[in-house]
């Protein structure tokens, strides 16, 4: 069993575009400043980690920006979950690869080339293939369910 908890900072709302060629390209993201830069405190994470340990459940948190990766790295969770929206965010993937820990890679609606590129980037930055788990998302069932709901089946 595992619990997945998302982590991000309110002061970095980032919309990523294809960032393969220039990791310092300022045109690739939009940053919005907010009053409270801390989305989830270290204290709250520690409470959740301890509670999960008591229940025999592995705690896992997903980072959505570079700052959150560093935050989670300090918690020593021992495994990383990459959200599908970050699969083409190469600076993000390189930062995670730098921890040399297992990676769960969500593919969402990514195409094969994006998935292959992400895996190759992780491998080329120190993550062996046997440390990578790829999650496949299939929206077909949800789509059929929505159609049925509209047709009153």
């Amino acid at each position: 069993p595992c619990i997945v908890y998302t982590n991000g900072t309110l002061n970095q709302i980032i919309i990523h575009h294809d960032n393969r060629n220039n990791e310092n390209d300022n045109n690739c993201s939009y940053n919005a400043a907010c009053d409270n830069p801390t989305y989830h405190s270290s204290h709250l994470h520690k409470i959740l980690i301890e509670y999960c340990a008591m229940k025999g459940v592995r705690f896992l948190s997903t980072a959505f920006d570079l700052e959150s990766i560093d935050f989670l790295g300090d918690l020593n969770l021992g495994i990383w979950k990459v959200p599908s929206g970050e699969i083409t965010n190469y600076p993000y993937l390189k930062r995670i690869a730098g921890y040399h820990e297992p990676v769960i890679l969500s593919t969402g609606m990514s195409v094969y080339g994006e998935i292959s590129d992400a895996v190759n980037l992780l491998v080329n930055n120190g993550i062996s293939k046997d440390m990578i788990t790829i999650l496949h998302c299939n929206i077909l069932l949800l789509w059929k369910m929505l159609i049925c709901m509209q047709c009153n089946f």
Side-chain angles (χ1 to χ4, degrees):
C2 177
I3 183 169
V4 178
Y5 188 65
T6 59
N7 183 49
T9 55
L10 288 177
N11 66 334
Q12 276 194 323
I13 301 169
I14 301 176
I15 302 170
H16 294 283
H17 299 286
D18 192 336
N19 198 10
R20 296 168 206 235
N21 299 320
N22 187 353
E23 56 187 69
N24 295 318
D25 184 355
N26 291 329
N27 296 324
C28 290
S29 63
Y30 167 75
N31 294 306
C34 295
D35 293 334
N36 182 2
T38 305
Y39 187 68
H40 295 296
S41 70
S42 178
H43 178 71
L44 178 57
H45 272 78
K46 288 176 182 172
I47 290 171
L48 289 169
I49 291 167
E50 289 173 11
Y51 183 77
C52 287
M54 280 183 359
K55 297 295 184 180
V57 174
R58 182 168 193 164
F59 176 83
L60 178 62
S61 186
T62 303
F64 286 92
D65 54 46
L66 298 177
E67 183 180 337
S68 298
I69 292 171
D70 296 337
F71 171 79
L72 294 176
D74 290 342
L75 294 177
N76 300 311
L77 299 177
I79 191 166
W80 295 91
K81 158 82 172 49
V82 176
S84 59
E86 303 303 328
I87 200 165
T88 59
N89 182 346
Y90 291 1
Y92 175 99
L93 295 173
K94 285 180 185 178
R95 180 80 56 98
I96 284 179
Y99 284 92
H100 304 287
E101 296 173 330
V103 173
I104 300 169
L105 184 66
S106 290
T107 60
M109 292 176 49
S110 301
V111 297
Y112 178 80
E114 293 169 331
I115 299 165
S116 178
D117 289 349
V119 169
N120 287 332
L121 185 142
L122 291 169
V123 169
N124 291 335
N125 285 275
I127 304 294
S128 62
K129 283 188 179 182
D130 64 338
M131 292 174 62
I132 301 171
T133 300
I134 298 175
L135 296 181
H136 172 67
C137 175
N138 187 334
I139 65 164
L140 186 58
L141 182 59
L142 176 62
W143 183 248
K144 285 182 179 179
M145 209 166 68
L146 291 173
I147 291 172
C148 288
M149 290 171 58
Q150 289 177 340
C151 297
N152 296 320
F153 288 117

